[in-house]
C-alpha cells in the first residue's frame, strides 16, 4: 500500500518521450506512478527519476495490446497500492505505411495497440475508479485525428484513423463513466521526442514558422496539460479534446 490518502497513477508509454514527461509531472504532484512500456531498460530510468521526487514507482513491462495482461497488471497495482486515481493512455506506435502498401497485419496491429490498448486499460481500471467514486482517464490523441497526417509526420493515414478512434473512445467513456470518472483527451501537435526527432529534422524551420507560438513543442508542453487534467479540482470537464499544438491548427 502507498501512504493512506496517497494518489496513484498509471502511465503507458512511460519509458521515454511524452509519457516519461507525464510520469515525472505526476510524480512532482505527489502521485505514485506505475510505468508501463515495452522498453524495460528505459522504464527503469523513468522509475528512478519518479522516485527522485520522493514517490513510489512500479515498472510494468507489458504490451498494451494484451487484454488479459492489462487486467492482471491492474489487479497487481491495486494489490500493491489499494487505489488507482489516474490512467494516462499514452503508448502508441508509428504507422508509416501508405494505403496502397499497408498489410492487413500492420493495420490490425496499429488498431490493437493505438486503440484497443486504450480500451484494455480503461476497462481494467474502471471498476476500481467507479468503486472509489472518482478517477481520471486521459487519452493521447493527435491533431492528425482532425487533419490527417501532416507531411513532416512519420505516420500516415492508419495512425490518424486510430487517433480519431481514441477521440470517440474518450467521448463515449466520458458519458458511460460519469459522474465518477472524468475522461478527456489531449491532441499534441508537433512535439520533439526521440521518436519524432528524425522525421522532423528537415522541417524544423517550417514547423516553427507555421506555429503561432513560434516553436516546436516539448514533452513538457503536453505533461503540464496532462497533470492539470489528472489533478485539478474541482473538475467540470469530461469528454473534452484539448489540442496542444502552439496554435498550429487554429481554425
Ligand atoms: N511526438 C509527437 O509529435 C506526437 C504528436 C501527436 C501525438 N503524439 C502521441 O503522443 C504519445 C507519445 O508519443 P511520443 O512521441 O512520446 O512517442 P515515443 O515513441 O517516444 O513513446 C511511446 C512509447 O510507447 C511505447 N509503446 C509503443 N507501443 C507499445 C505497446 N504496444 N505497449 C507498451 N508500450 C508501447 C514505446 O516503447 C515508447 O516508449 C503517442 O500516443 C503519440 O501517438 C505524439
Amino acid at each position: 500500500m502507498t501512504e493512506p490518502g496517497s494518489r496513484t497513477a498509471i502511465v503507458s508509454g512511460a519509458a521515454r518521450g511524452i509519457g516519461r514527461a507525464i510520469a515525472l509531472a505526476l510524480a512532482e504532484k505527489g502521485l505514485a506512478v506505475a510505468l508501463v512500456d515495452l522498453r524495460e531498460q528505459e522504464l527503469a530510468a523513468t522509475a528512478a527519476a519518479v522516485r527522485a521526487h520522493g514517490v513510489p514507482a512500479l515498472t510494468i513491462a507489458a504490451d498494451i495490446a494484451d487484454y488479459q495482461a492489462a487486467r492482471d497488471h491492474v489487479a497487481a497495482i491495486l494489490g500493491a497500492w489499494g487505489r488507482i486515481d489516474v490512467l494516462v493512455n499514452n503508448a502508441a506506435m508509428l504507422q508509416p505505411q501508405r494505403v496502397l502498401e499497408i498489410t492487413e497485419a500492420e493495420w490490425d496491429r496499429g488498431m490493437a495497440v493505438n486503440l484497443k490498448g486504450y480500451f484494455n486499460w480503461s476497462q481494467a481500471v474502471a471498476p476500481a475508479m467507479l468503486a472509489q467514486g472518482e478517477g481520471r482517464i486521459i487519452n493521447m490523441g493527435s491533431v492528425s485525428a482532425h487533419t490527417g497526417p501532416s507531411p513532416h509526420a512519420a505516420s500516415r493515414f492508419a495512425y490518424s484513423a486510430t487517433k480519431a478512434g481514441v477521440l470517440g473512445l474518450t467521448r463515449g467513456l466520458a458519458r458511460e463513466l460519469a459522474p465518477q470518472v472524468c475522461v478527456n483527451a489531449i491532441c499534441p501537435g508537433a512535439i520533439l521526442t526521440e521518436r519524432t526527432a528524425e522525421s522532423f529534422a528537415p522541417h524544423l524551420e517550417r514547423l516553427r514558422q507555421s506555429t503561432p507560438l513560434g516553436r516546436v513543442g516539448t514533452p513538457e508542453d503536453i505533461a503540464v496539460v496532462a497533470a492539470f487534467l489528472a489533478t485539478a479540482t474541482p473538475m467540470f470537464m469530461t469528454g473534452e479534446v484539448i489540442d496542444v499544438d502552439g496554435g498550429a491548427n487554429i481554425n
Side-chain angles (χ1 to χ4, degrees), residues 13 15-19 37-39 62-65 90-93 109 113 118 140-142 159 163 188-191 193-196 200:
R16 64 178 200 178
I18 291 170
D37 207 293
L38 295 167
R39 299 167 193 272
D63 181 347
I64 61 164
N90 166 79
M93 59 181 276
R109 177 67 182 157
V113 174
Y118 289 22
M140 207 51 66
S142 165
Y159 170 88
K163 291 301 188 179
I191 307 296
T193 64
E194 293 91 330
R195 176 170 79 137
T196 57
F200 287 179

Side-chain angles (χ1 to χ4, degrees), residues 41-235:
Q41 252 182 337
E42 288 121 303
L43 259 191
T46 305
V50 164
R51 291 187 191 111
H53 286 283
V55 294
L58 287 174
T59 58
I60 297 171
D63 181 347
I64 61 164
D66 184 334
Y67 180 79
Q68 191 55 44
R71 307 180 78 75
D72 294 345
H73 288 299
V74 164
I77 295 165
L78 284 169
W81 287 349
R83 58 184 291 124
I84 297 169
D85 296 280
V86 177
L87 167 67
V88 184
N89 284 312
N90 166 79
M93 59 181 276
L94 287 175
Q95 292 206 277
Q97 308 86 358
R98 290 175 184 271
V99 65
L100 297 184
E101 70 200 21
I102 195 168
T103 65
E104 183 184 12
E106 286 165 342
W107 169 271
D108 287 349
R109 177 67 182 157
M111 285 288 163
V113 174
N114 293 8
L115 183 53
K116 182 178 168 237
Y118 289 22
F119 154 70
N120 289 342
W121 283 79
S122 299
Q123 192 194 48
V125 301
M129 288 183 174
L130 292 171
Q132 288 160 196
E134 58 182 0
R136 307 276 172 93
I137 298 177
I138 297 149
N139 294 324
M140 207 51 66
S142 165
V143 290
S144 83
H146 318 307
T147 62
S150 57
H152 59 263
S155 282
R156 309 249 58 86
F157 82 104
Y159 170 88
S160 296
T162 64
K163 291 301 188 179
V166 166
L167 305 190
L169 179 81
T170 300
R171 295 178 176 120
L173 289 182
R175 287 190 187 275
E176 285 204 16
L177 299 178
Q180 296 93 334
V181 185
C182 294
V183 188
N184 292 291
I186 299 172
C187 284
I191 307 296
L192 259 188
T193 64
E194 293 91 330
R195 176 170 79 137
T196 57
E198 198 182 322
S199 61
F200 287 179
H203 307 285
L204 278 180
E205 197 41 48
R206 193 149 46 84
L207 277 173
R208 276 190 206 106
Q209 282 173 8
S210 60
T211 303
L213 294 185
R215 62 181 177 82
V216 178
T218 65
E220 289 70 30
D221 290 321
I222 304 302
V224 72
V225 179
F228 162 75
L229 291 172
T231 64
T233 49
M235 176 56 65

Side-chain angles (χ1 to χ4, degrees), residues 20-21 23-31 33 46-56:
R20 181 177 196 275
L24 295 181
L26 295 180
E28 212 170 294
K29 298 239 176 232
L31 279 80
V33 194
T46 305
V50 164
R51 291 187 191 111
H53 286 283
V55 294

